[in-house]
Amino acid sequence: MTYDASFLVTADALPIPSRDGLVILDYTHFAVSMDTRRRLAAVTAVNIDGSDLRDVERGDDWRLDPRLPETQQAGPELYSANDLDRGHLVRRRDPVWGEDAERANADTFHYTVCAPQTATVNQSKTLWLGLEDYVLDHARQYGERLSVFTGCLFESDDPVYRGVSIPRRFFKVAAWAQEESLAATGYVLDQTASLGPILERGVRAADVPPLGAYRTYQVPIADIAAATELDMPLLVNADRLAPVPAARPTPWIELTGPEDLRLER
């Protein structure tokens, strides 16, 4: 079973966000929308069933997806002999549930499912301020179902490395059912500070100061939709980040710990 838009059992189905020109690839419990011009995923969508998560050996068998030409996906040559990690956009453990858990685990090791992230960011225990752990642990503890959307915030001036424009920022939107209606929150990770020294001056990730190497924000989902040009009206309308009064825009909130998360209107 691939990504299921009706997985959350709310009044509305929740399709993977879309825009013209993307190529959708279906996997077990998740889907990837590829921007073949950028050779990276614009957005991924995964269903998480917290009541049926399984422990499966990691594997690390990275491979290209044969459904796309090699010229339309960033492969092993991008990540060789440098401090760029293959950062899972669909976190490996998220789709690993149910009878198809092992196949879902293997599917997350396609190059179409990852994006270049600095080792400082990808290997940190506070990646996204523990947001990924927070989301998965919450689903496991309460047996909850979640749909999570993660992707790249592509910019025209992203630095080019080995023929690939490297995203400086990534987004994540988590959605769940709350009293039979949809609820969602959005986040942005900015790796600019750790990316620049590595790509521009050849500094290794280990030499980048640990403080300020990346920043995480809770942001209005409407801002993510505008920046990516992805169509996601249901997620925008379900946003738990309380809007400020009058016409002033909702600010981006820099997160310093889980206590900063705003999950209620």
Side-chain angles (χ1 to χ4, degrees):
M1 181 177 66
T2 183
Y3 173 76
D4 181 1
S6 301
F7 185 73
L8 296 182
V9 196
T10 62
D12 299 301
L14 189 58
I16 182 171
S18 63
R19 60 174 167 81
D20 291 341
L22 299 181
V23 176
I24 296 180
L25 300 172
D26 290 329
Y27 298 97
T28 308
H29 299 154
F30 68 95
V32 172
S33 283
M34 285 290 293
D35 185 326
T36 56
R37 181 182 60 86
R38 293 288 299 247
R39 301 174 63 191
L40 297 169
V43 59
T44 65
V46 59
N47 299 134
I48 305 173
D49 187 344
S51 69
D52 200 12
L53 292 168
R54 307 290 179 91
D55 291 324
V56 173
E57 186 176 351
R58 180 182 172 91
D60 274 319
D61 180 21
W62 287 96
R63 58 202 183 278
L64 296 170
D65 192 311
R67 293 174 292 181
L68 283 181
E70 293 185 13
T71 55
Q72 294 183 0
Q73 48 190 317
E77 67 283 349
L78 176 61
Y79 303 95
S80 174
N82 56 31
D83 281 308
L84 286 178
D85 280 358
R86 295 163 295 200
H88 275 94
L89 295 178
V90 173
R91 191 186 190 195
R92 182 190 69 86
R93 293 192 293 157
D94 285 356
V96 180
W97 52 268
E99 295 180 356
D100 296 326
E102 292 202 13
R103 184 170 63 184
N105 179 76
D107 277 353
T108 66
F109 288 98
H110 285 91
Y111 278 100
T112 50
V113 187
C114 73
Q117 294 181 338
T118 65
T120 302
V121 170
N122 189 47
Q123 298 176 24
S124 173
K125 296 299 183 183
T126 56
L127 173 62
W128 300 71
L129 297 176
L131 179 62
E132 293 180 321
D133 281 334
Y134 178 86
V135 167
L136 192 66
D137 290 346
H138 183 83
R140 186 191 302 272
Q141 180 178 354
Y142 296 101
E144 192 169 31
R145 288 187 166 205
L146 299 169
S147 290
V148 178
F149 308 89
T150 308
C152 305
L153 282 171
F154 294 130
E155 301 285 352
S156 59
D157 60 349
D158 284 335
V160 177
Y161 178 72
R162 296 182 179 176
V164 177
S165 294
I166 308 299
R168 292 172 295 185
R169 297 189 296 176
F170 303 90
F171 71 87
K172 185 181 297 292
V173 178
W176 65 96
Q178 183 169 299
E179 297 179 355
E180 299 184 357
S181 62
L182 187 66
T185 51
Y187 309 89
V188 167
L189 169 74
D190 189 331
Q191 69 168 351
T192 302
S194 61
L195 185 65
I198 294 171
L199 300 186
E200 295 173 12
R201 296 193 293 275
V203 178
R204 293 184 58 82
D207 299 324
V208 177
L211 297 179
Y214 57 89
R215 306 172 77 178
T216 305
Y217 301 86
Q218 184 170 0
V219 310
I221 298 173
D223 288 4
I224 295 173
T228 59
E229 299 183 347
L230 291 168
D231 185 28
M232 53 178 85
L234 293 177
L235 292 169
V236 171
N237 291 336
D239 196 351
R240 299 289 96 180
L241 183 60
V244 297
R248 290 185 294 120
T250 304
W252 287 29
I253 302 167
E254 185 167 6
L255 303 180
T256 59
E259 66 279 1
D260 294 335
L261 295 172
R262 299 187 184 182
L263 302 179
E264 300 292 340
R265 289 194 188 277

